[in-house]
Amino acid sequence: MALSCNNTLFPKPFVTSCSSQTQGTHFSNLPQPTKQDPIFKIKGPSTLSGHITVSGSKNASLPLLAATLCCSGTSLLHNLPNVSDIQAMASILSSLGAKVDAFDGKMMVNSDGVGKVEVDLEEMKKIRGGFFVIGPLVARFGEAVVALPGGCNIGKRPVDLHLRGLRALGAVVELRQVVPINSPFIFLVGSLLDGKVWARAANGRGLVGGKFRLDYPSVGATETLMMAASMADGTTVLSNVAKVMEPEVVDLARFLTDCGAWIEGAGSDNLIIRGKRQLYGSECVIKPDRIETGTFMLAAAITRSCILMSPVIPSRVSCLIDKLSQAGCKISRLDQQTLQVSAHPSHIGYDLKSFDIKTNPFPGFPTDLQPQTMALLTTCTGSSLVEESVFDNRMTHGMYKLSYNT
């Protein structure tokens, strides 16, 4: 899906000197029609300044928390972001019987006490990432009952690759939905929007090694099957997987390896995993969130501001750095983990120029930065083309008129 932007439809944003007193941006949290639909009123214009501390990656944290279910003993994760998804995943682990202690941006998880394999339906509705537990539960405990994932409404995000991959590792997988008590049918089996996935090891003991080729290099499916295969009996070969250089896949593979897993294939689209009967708890530090980093970089560009941010891993946002540099932003690496992003006219000498983007898996342009980038492009000189190739419903924000009130 593609959408073109022409800045002639939108007036230029207000800017002030980077060295002058920054005007305040005012946020009014208005009464909420529902808890699921908060409204924020933002009064501008203003510029940004100062230093931003980037949180740990949410997209890396969720599969890492799920992976603790694979481990005997205690795992300790550092630098977890303080967001509701992390709290929801911790609640899911606790509901299964794991002991979870959170303190000072850290989380300690011991899953030796897990006594159930069915995830509470209401907990699963809160986050899509809760579905990650299906792989570890089947691999370690031989069975899992998990609701089909909820989460954000950005288009079709099927889990068929996860389920077909588990079948290739010796699991029996069914999709079921309980119907009203007065129905002549107890269960419906098929592709359901609000059903549950029932998975169990066909041999009654655990998963076995196998071969599976993903139709699409899905990050979520790769992570789910990597966790499952790490405890399967024998060798598993996964092909056409999300590249092991994909940041979140890298982080998970490193953690599982530290826990005792054997994973080979870094840098390729094939993974060879030799399952281990038992993995042991380990410790890891969550890397900085590349999407949060990119969002603040784009905020600096949109408001024509100059800001610092750390910690940052530049190689994980290199695609955005290239695009913003192409537009005219000045991006400097002050030390190993600190970036300075400036789009102020006094620094760059001219207004920002338009550019085109097409979303793709890493190292391509991140789909999670596409909406913010589109907002920036409405303020740039010239026309731009935005193409979304990952999610089919991630252009809805482009259907609303963006304007500045001066």
Side-chain angles (χ1 to χ4, degrees):
M1 185 178 199
L3 192 67
S4 61
C5 301
N6 191 318
N7 81 306
T8 58
L9 297 176
F10 309 101
K12 290 288 190 291
F14 176 84
V15 295
T16 61
S17 170
C18 199
S19 60
S20 66
Q21 183 68 31
T22 302
Q23 297 187 18
T25 301
H26 307 285
F27 297 84
S28 298
N29 199 353
L30 301 179
Q32 300 179 4
T34 68
K35 290 183 178 180
Q36 292 76 33
D37 188 25
I39 297 174
F40 295 92
K41 183 177 181 181
I42 304 171
K43 183 179 179 181
S46 65
T47 54
L48 308 176
S49 64
H51 175 269
I52 294 167
T53 300
V54 179
S55 305
S57 169
K58 182 207 74 171
N59 288 342
S61 298
L62 294 176
L64 284 168
L65 285 169
T68 64
L69 291 172
C70 295
C71 305
S72 299
T74 299
S75 297
L76 179 60
L77 307 185
H78 298 259
N79 197 37
L80 287 159
N82 184 21
V83 295
S84 61
D85 280 15
I86 301 302
Q87 298 162 10
M89 179 61 91
S91 181
I92 287 174
L93 297 179
S94 296
S95 72
L96 293 172
K99 182 180 179 182
V100 181
D101 294 310
F103 54 95
D104 300 329
K106 305 172 187 177
M107 196 168 287
M108 188 177 292
V109 182
N110 187 307
S111 59
D112 289 343
V114 169
K116 56 182 290 191
V117 294
E118 181 170 2
V119 180
D120 181 75
L121 180 61
E122 292 305 312
E123 295 292 344
M124 274 298 299
K125 286 181 179 179
K126 295 177 182 178
I127 56 165
R128 181 177 178 82
F131 197 75
F132 281 124
V133 302
I134 191 172
L137 286 176
V138 178
R140 185 177 176 188
F141 303 102
E143 187 179 4
V145 182
V146 182
L148 288 171
C152 49
N153 181 25
I154 56 174
K156 297 176 182 177
R157 306 176 75 181
V159 294
D160 60 304
L161 292 177
H162 307 60
L163 306 186
R164 287 166 48 204
L166 290 174
R167 289 189 180 108
L169 300 182
V172 175
V173 181
E174 293 179 286
L175 294 173
R176 301 179 181 177
Q177 184 178 46
V178 178
V179 298
I181 195 168
N182 58 355
S183 170
F185 303 99
I186 298 177
F187 290 108
L188 296 176
V189 181
S191 180
L192 304 166
L193 293 177
D194 296 308
K196 289 185 177 181
V197 177
W198 294 59
R200 59 179 175 82
N203 60 15
R205 299 185 303 275
L207 298 178
V208 296
K211 295 182 179 181
F212 182 68
R213 177 180 177 81
L214 281 73
D215 297 336
Y216 175 82
S218 160
V219 173
T222 298
E223 292 169 330
T224 296
L225 298 178
M226 189 192 305
M227 289 185 278
S230 292
M231 298 193 73
D233 182 17
T235 299
T236 297
V237 179
L238 302 175
S239 57
N240 195 37
V241 297
K243 302 291 187 187
V244 182
M245 59 183 174
E246 184 95 32
E248 292 74 29
V249 176
V250 169
D251 296 342
L252 179 61
R254 184 175 293 124
F255 176 73
L256 290 171
T257 300
D258 290 344
C259 294
W262 193 97
I263 301 173
E264 186 181 80
S268 72
D269 60 0
N270 296 297
L271 284 176
I272 301 174
I273 304 170
R274 295 177 185 170
K276 298 290 185 71
R277 179 170 297 181
Q278 190 170 25
L279 300 180
Y280 300 91
S282 186
E283 187 173 358
C284 76
V285 179
I286 309 297
K287 297 293 191 299
D289 195 311
R290 61 188 174 114
I291 304 305
E292 182 176 318
T293 300
T295 298
F296 284 124
M297 293 173 68
L298 288 161
I302 291 170
T303 58
R304 306 304 194 262
S305 302
C306 177
I307 62 174
L308 302 175
M309 61 188 71
S310 67
V312 174
I313 303 177
S315 61
R316 295 192 172 189
V317 288
S318 58
C319 188
L320 180 61
I321 289 175
D322 290 344
K323 290 295 184 180
L324 291 181
S325 298
Q326 176 185 334
C329 293
K330 300 297 183 184
I331 302 175
S332 307
R333 188 172 178 175
L334 302 187
D335 58 39
Q336 192 171 4
Q337 297 189 80
T338 305
L339 285 184
Q340 176 179 275
V341 181
S342 179
H344 194 275
S346 66
H347 290 179
I348 65 177
Y350 44 80
D351 201 9
L352 297 182
K353 302 187 291 282
S354 62
F355 55 89
D356 299 338
I357 63 167
K358 179 180 180 180
T359 63
N360 273 305
F362 187 87
F365 198 90
T367 181
D368 288 348
L369 291 177
Q370 178 258 105
Q372 305 93 303
T373 303
M374 186 184 295
L376 167 63
L377 292 172
T378 65
T379 75
C380 296
T381 301
S383 298
S384 305
L385 180 66
V386 177
E387 188 172 353
E388 174 60 52
S389 64
V390 178
F391 295 123
D392 63 332
N393 199 31
R394 206 164 209 168
M395 285 289 193
T396 54
H397 55 279
M399 307 307 169
Y400 298 92
K401 181 178 179 181
L402 301 177
S403 64
Y404 291 95
N405 293 319
T406 58

